Structure formats: C-alpha cells, structure tokens
Amino acid sequence: SQTIHQWPATLVQPVGSPLSLECTVEGTSNPNLYWYRQAAGRGLQLLFYSVGIGQISSEVPQNLSASRPQDRQFILSSKKLLLSDSGFYLCASERGGGNEQFFGPGTRLTVL
Amino acid sequence: TQLLEQSPQFLSIQEGENLTVYCNSSSVFSSLQWYRQEPGEGPVLLVTVVTGGEVKKLKRLTFQFGDARKDSSLHITAAQPGDTGLYLCAGAVNNQGGKLIFGQGTELSVKP
C-alpha cells in the first residue's frame, strides 16, 4: 500500500516570505499527484495535479506554483506568501485508474 | 462548473441515533468515494461505489450510489462517539483523469 509523507507538519510564515512544501510517496510508481487546500472543516479545493515528472496542471489562479522533479516527489511553492494562503494543505496520490486518492497527513500553514 | 452538494453541513446527535448524509449533483460520476477526516489529519478513504444503484456496507455504515450515478448517501446506524469527524464525498467525472470533485463536507458530532 502507498504511504504519503508531507513536511513540515506545521509552518508559520510572515507575509511576503517564500514557501516550499514537500510531498513524497512510497509504495507506488508513476502515480497521479495532487495538491489541495482545505479551509477549516470544509471541502477540498484542488490546486494542482500532475500525471508525470515535469507535468503540472493548475486548477485555480493564484500565487502558488507546483513542481514534480521526481516521480514520487511533489512540491508546492510560493515566492511571496499572502495572508489568504493560510490553510491546511494536503497532498494526494492516485494510482491504477480507480480514482481512489490516498492522502498525506497535511501541512498547517499560517501566514501572519 | 461541476458541483457536488453535500448536506447537512453540520450534524450533532446523541449516541445511538441514526443519521444520513447526502451528496447530490447534476453531473454523472464514473465513481464516487466517501472519506472520513479527523482534525489535523488527512482524509481516509472509506468506500468507493461505481455501479448505479450499488449498495456497500461497512459495519454500521451503509453507502448507496444513485441509479443515475448523480447522487449518493451515507447512512450510519446507532452512531457512536468514535464516528465523530468530517465526512467528505468525492465524485470522479469521465474524461477528467483521476481528478475528483469534493463536496463541502458534513461535520458530525456524536455525543455520549
């Protein structure tokens, strides 16, 4: 079974600072990978997805970007954080065409 | 824009009561997943339904996929405090790769 790691678990950053969140996947190869943001106790908003190395699709306009330098590594970045970037960021992996996504433990980002 | 409307948004009940959560859409889904999420953690997959009219049971939880594959329900019998959490439905749309559309979630609180 696949395991998704995310770090850091929590992060407090000032407005205007850069961001780098990392997600790595074990136990599978060539997965589709996803970045979501979740407001408190609510549904998930898809930010980016990737079907392979170097292939990134953006779902919503924003000041965030994503990269996939390796098959099982997915990175979420920003050059300058905004207050509105605060939230719970989840990485997910999907493999096998069954549409079932497996989630990492998430990163709680607070921008002050 | 494809939407998946989930209701109710909040539900507070006593231990032993029954409850039903609904997800409705005007879109047809190739499959639908139900997840459960605890605070500060990633969602955990409970079940996937694929066939119209399909019913799946997981102990005291019963999941149903509508005949037209546009809606789904989750019924919990004799709820227990351990059922407390955020329940999310997510639908997979044909020709959208592995992307899922998430409902806004139902926050369930079961009081002893």
Side-chain angles (χ1 to χ4, degrees):
Chain A
S1 64
Q2 35 184 321
T3 303
I4 298 101
H5 301 279
Q6 287 187 245
W7 62 87
T10 59
L11 191 59
V12 180
Q13 292 284 95
V15 168
S17 64
L19 173 75
S20 181
L21 303 182
E22 189 162 345
C23 169
T24 58
V25 182
E26 293 180 358
T28 188
S29 60
N30 196 30
N32 292 335
L33 297 176
Y34 306 83
W35 277 112
Y36 292 91
R37 178 167 56 209
Q38 184 178 32
R42 306 316 302 152
L44 278 63
Q45 179 188 34
L46 180 62
L47 302 176
F48 299 96
Y49 73 96
S50 171
V51 298
I53 296 173
Q55 300 179 64
I56 308 294
S57 295
S58 174
E59 289 294 298
V60 292
Q62 58 204 317
N63 72 321
L64 299 171
S65 61
S67 62
R68 187 169 176 178
Q70 300 180 44
D71 180 46
R72 288 173 285 178
Q73 184 185 29
F74 204 22
I75 297 172
L76 184 69
S77 305
S78 175
K79 293 182 179 178
K80 288 185 177 182
L81 283 168
L82 306 172
L83 287 174
S84 57
D85 291 324
S86 293
F88 192 50
Y89 288 83
L90 289 157
C91 177
S93 170
E94 183 258 339
R95 179 75 176 99
N99 300 120
E100 295 170 340
Q101 293 186 13
F102 297 90
F103 286 84
T107 295
R108 171 73 59 193
L109 172 65
T110 303
V111 182
L112 301 175
Chain B
T1 302
Q2 293 153 328
L3 294 174
L4 192 52
E5 296 193 8
Q6 190 171 341
S7 62
Q9 292 185 33
F10 301 95
L11 195 53
S12 181
I13 60 173
Q14 292 296 126
E15 182 176 0
E17 292 183 9
N18 302 332
L19 67 114
T20 303
V21 178
Y22 299 93
C23 276
N24 296 288
S25 177
S26 58
S27 301
V28 176
F29 298 109
S30 57
S31 67
L32 193 138
Q33 284 82 43
W34 284 92
Y35 294 83
R36 179 170 171 269
Q37 184 181 20
E38 302 211 20
E41 300 181 7
V44 175
L45 180 67
L46 296 174
V47 78
T48 299
V49 286
V50 178
T51 307
E54 182 177 5
V55 177
K56 281 192 175 179
K57 292 192 175 185
L58 190 64
K59 296 183 180 178
R60 293 174 294 99
L61 278 61
T62 302
F63 305 86
Q64 185 162 7
F65 203 12
D67 291 340
R69 290 183 289 135
K70 294 182 179 181
D71 54 88
S72 181
S73 64
L74 157 61
H75 183 78
I76 301 180
T77 303
Q80 299 178 1
D83 296 326
T84 294
L86 180 69
Y87 289 82
L88 294 159
C89 60
V93 182
N94 280 332
N95 302 321
Q96 292 287 316
K99 289 196 294 182
L100 296 177
I101 298 170
F102 278 84
Q104 286 304 297
T106 295
E107 214 160 329
L108 172 65
S109 174
V110 182
K111 302 185 188 309

